[in-house]
Amino acid sequence: MSYKSYDRLLFYIFSVVAVLSVFQAAAFNTRTFPISPAVCGELFFALFLMVRYLLPGNGGKISDHQEVLIIFVFVTYSIVTAFTLPFVFEGMLVYVPRNGITLRANGLLRFSISNIGEAIYLLLNALLFIGVFNIKIFRADKKVIKVFLLMGIVALFFSLYQKISQSFGIYFPYQWVNSNAFYYQGYNQTVASGLARGSGTFTEPSYNGNFLGMYFVYYLVSVYYRLNVKRMVMALLYLYATLIATSSLGYIEIIFGIAIIFMLFIFNLGGRIKISKIYVVTLFTIIFSLAAIYFSHLLYLEVFDKLSSVSAIERANSNFSALMILANTYGFGVGLGSNRPSSFAFYLLSNVGIIGTFIFACFIFFILNNLISNYKVIDYEGKSLLFAFLALLVGKIAGAPDLSFTSFWVVLIIVAVVNKSVDRSANHGAVIADASN
């Protein structure tokens, strides 16, 4: 079996892992502990990846691209912190990951299975990144975008299906979709008015809204650059699905997307102003205004009223506590998997410290640098993906702290592969221009 055949096989496995990662709340429940379907896929991927590079005759070497080197450093450093810092700072007050977020720190720091689990998840996700990043297949950038869009369709289908189930009492497979006993399952949450929230295939509505909001931004930017009925319909479907998820993170991403469109229009970034772009800006301004009026009660409950709720105070306290942890550990943090605040940024700072957060920030910069520096000449898919990923990051910083979820890493990988293709095209003097310019 040639290394090219292995590369194709690895890409197929990655595609399966990507789709399975959308089912964040699901698991195969064994007698000891539940195993996520996506993690099972990652284990198979890691096995074939080792075969690809270790067996004689399979050729090739792991790329020394800066993205691969930085993720190697980040993973190594993070795993070291997971197995050392809980002992160094043992007894410190933290938000124990499995105890949830409460008004104040709810446990004492000690080495636990959370540290081991986060280290394993991070290693598997990093191997997935390194493996896919080094795959040599024709038009990998276009193929990964198709995988990205397929993930969104799966999440959208189950979100709409769940809404129909809640409205008309139709069967929804919660026993399969929400089967991970290790995770909090918030599929039965309601807002103050009694309206059921939408968790879709995720553990709770916040993560569902965070994920769906990313796709709304993708299709919104896509429609702005390439007016198309199909993309317009998809943008509206994702807008509706994000709204009915009743997630403040999703609402933040909707506002982010609308702001991006106005920014692109006002500053004329990425091409001359066309009449179609004026149509898009005008149409979505009207649609967003009508949606804001229709869902005003939900917007008030989930954004404005929530700011003064006990939940908001708990989340703010958890983030403040993360800063105190950072200060009390001299900037090193308490180790990967030891503390769980509300924000992704505070999660990194309190767990892997200033050093780990800086390394991860450098990693994000390098997987976006070509898309940003070549923004005016990349095609509309690259532009759309860039802003969709930024929307996802904004949502995570606002209130989705987890580093281990496979779906986040799959999106990271897709962005990195597209970013690398822009780099390769630029080096050959053939950056793909946006036909809409």
Side-chain angles (χ1 to χ4, degrees):
M1 192 172 182
S2 67
Y3 74 88
K4 291 183 179 179
S5 298
Y6 271 105
D7 280 351
R8 286 194 293 269
L9 178 60
L10 287 173
F11 185 79
Y12 292 143
I13 298 175
F14 166 71
S15 302
V16 173
V17 171
V19 173
L20 291 177
S21 71
V22 178
F23 295 91
Q24 178 224 342
F28 300 118
N29 290 302
T30 65
R31 291 183 178 180
T32 52
F33 55 85
I35 302 175
S36 163
V39 171
C40 290
E42 286 185 289
L43 290 170
F44 277 106
F45 185 92
L47 175 63
F48 282 101
L49 182 65
M50 287 188 290
V51 173
R52 162 71 173 81
Y53 286 101
L54 295 181
L55 286 185
N58 282 334
K61 65 175 183 177
I62 295 178
S63 166
D64 59 357
H65 242 267
Q66 53 206 10
E67 293 93 331
V68 173
L69 295 176
I70 291 176
I71 197 61
F72 174 78
V73 172
F74 175 72
V75 170
T76 303
Y77 179 79
S78 299
I79 291 176
V80 169
T81 67
F83 288 90
T84 57
L85 295 182
F87 296 103
V88 174
F89 300 108
E90 187 173 7
M92 182 177 291
L93 279 172
V94 295
Y95 279 81
V96 177
R98 298 196 181 280
N99 289 353
I101 295 177
T102 53
L103 278 174
R104 50 184 60 86
N106 52 27
L108 299 177
L109 175 63
R110 62 182 181 85
F111 182 74
S112 69
I113 193 167
S114 293
N115 301 103
I116 299 172
E118 289 292 306
I120 293 173
Y121 291 145
L122 181 59
L123 179 60
L124 287 174
N125 289 325
L127 288 174
L128 188 69
F129 177 91
I130 293 170
V132 177
F133 194 78
N134 284 279
I135 284 176
K136 298 177 179 64
I137 57 175
F138 181 69
R139 298 311 303 269
D141 56 328
K142 298 301 180 184
K143 288 182 170 65
V144 294
I145 287 179
K146 289 181 180 178
V147 172
F148 173 76
L149 297 179
L150 178 59
M151 292 169 64
I153 289 172
V154 172
L156 177 65
F157 171 80
F158 277 92
S159 293
L160 297 179
Y161 177 21
Q162 184 185 44
K163 181 61 179 178
I164 293 171
S165 171
Q166 292 168 341
S167 300
F168 301 101
I170 298 172
Y171 168 78
F172 187 84
Y174 288 109
Q175 73 274 23
W176 301 105
V177 175
N178 299 89
S179 54
N180 195 324
F182 268 21
Y183 291 155
Y184 164 73
Q185 299 289 352
Y187 59 85
N188 56 355
Q189 292 184 13
T190 59
V191 295
S193 64
L195 180 68
R197 304 180 70 192
S199 59
T201 57
F202 293 83
T203 53
E204 53 182 295
S206 294
Y207 290 112
N208 190 34
N210 186 210
F211 194 75
L212 293 171
M214 170 181 63
Y215 283 94
F216 166 70
V217 174
Y218 176 89
Y219 278 104
L220 181 62
V221 176
S222 176
V223 167
Y224 178 77
Y225 283 110
R226 287 275 187 89
L227 185 57
N228 176 285
V229 174
K230 179 182 176 182
R231 297 189 195 102
M232 178 76 75
V233 170
M234 294 304 293
L236 293 175
L237 284 173
Y238 280 110
L239 174 62
Y240 176 72
T242 305
L243 287 170
I244 62 174
T246 65
S247 162
S248 55
L249 304 187
Y251 297 163
I252 289 170
E253 290 176 54
I254 291 172
I255 295 171
F256 174 83
I258 297 294
I260 288 297
I261 290 300
F262 274 100
M263 182 192 73
L264 294 175
F265 183 76
I266 292 170
F267 295 102
N268 191 22
L269 299 177
R272 64 182 181 273
I273 295 294
K274 287 186 174 183
I275 192 68
S276 61
K277 294 180 179 179
I278 297 175
Y279 287 154
V280 170
V281 171
T282 304
L283 179 61
F284 271 94
T285 300
I286 295 171
I287 291 172
F288 180 72
S289 300
L290 292 174
I293 294 171
Y294 184 78
F295 290 96
S296 58
H297 183 57
L298 287 179
L299 290 171
Y300 176 79
L301 289 174
E302 284 300 311
V303 179
F304 303 107
D305 190 50
K306 200 171 184 178
L307 292 175
S308 60
S309 67
V310 173
S311 173
I313 296 172
E314 291 173 347
R315 293 173 184 275
N317 284 349
S318 72
N319 291 331
F320 178 75
S321 177
L323 288 178
M324 296 304 298
I325 288 171
L326 183 67
N328 293 333
T329 57
Y330 313 102
F332 285 101
V334 286
L336 181 69
S338 296
N339 184 58
R340 191 180 187 277
S342 174
S343 165
F344 182 65
F346 289 109
Y347 175 88
L348 288 174
L349 285 169
S350 63
N351 283 278
V352 296
I354 295 173
I355 296 174
T357 303
F358 176 75
I359 297 171
F360 191 80
C362 290
F363 171 64
I364 295 296
F365 170 78
F366 280 117
I367 68 169
L368 295 178
N369 64 338
N370 295 316
L371 287 169
I372 294 173
S373 60
N374 294 290
Y375 181 81
K376 288 191 175 182
V377 291
I378 59 177
D379 64 8
Y380 76 95
E381 289 180 323
K383 293 179 171 74
S384 303
L385 185 65
L386 170 63
F387 286 116
F389 179 68
L390 290 176
L392 180 68
L393 280 182
V394 168
K396 286 188 70 63
I397 291 171
D402 297 271
L403 179 65
S404 59
F405 289 155
T406 310
S407 56
F408 173 63
W409 282 88
V410 168
V411 177
L412 269 178
I413 291 165
I414 291 168
V415 173
V417 170
V418 173
N419 185 73
K420 184 174 73 167
S421 72
V422 173
D423 182 32
R424 187 185 298 115
S425 299
N427 288 336
H428 287 82
V431 178
I432 300 173
D434 186 349
S436 66
N437 292 342

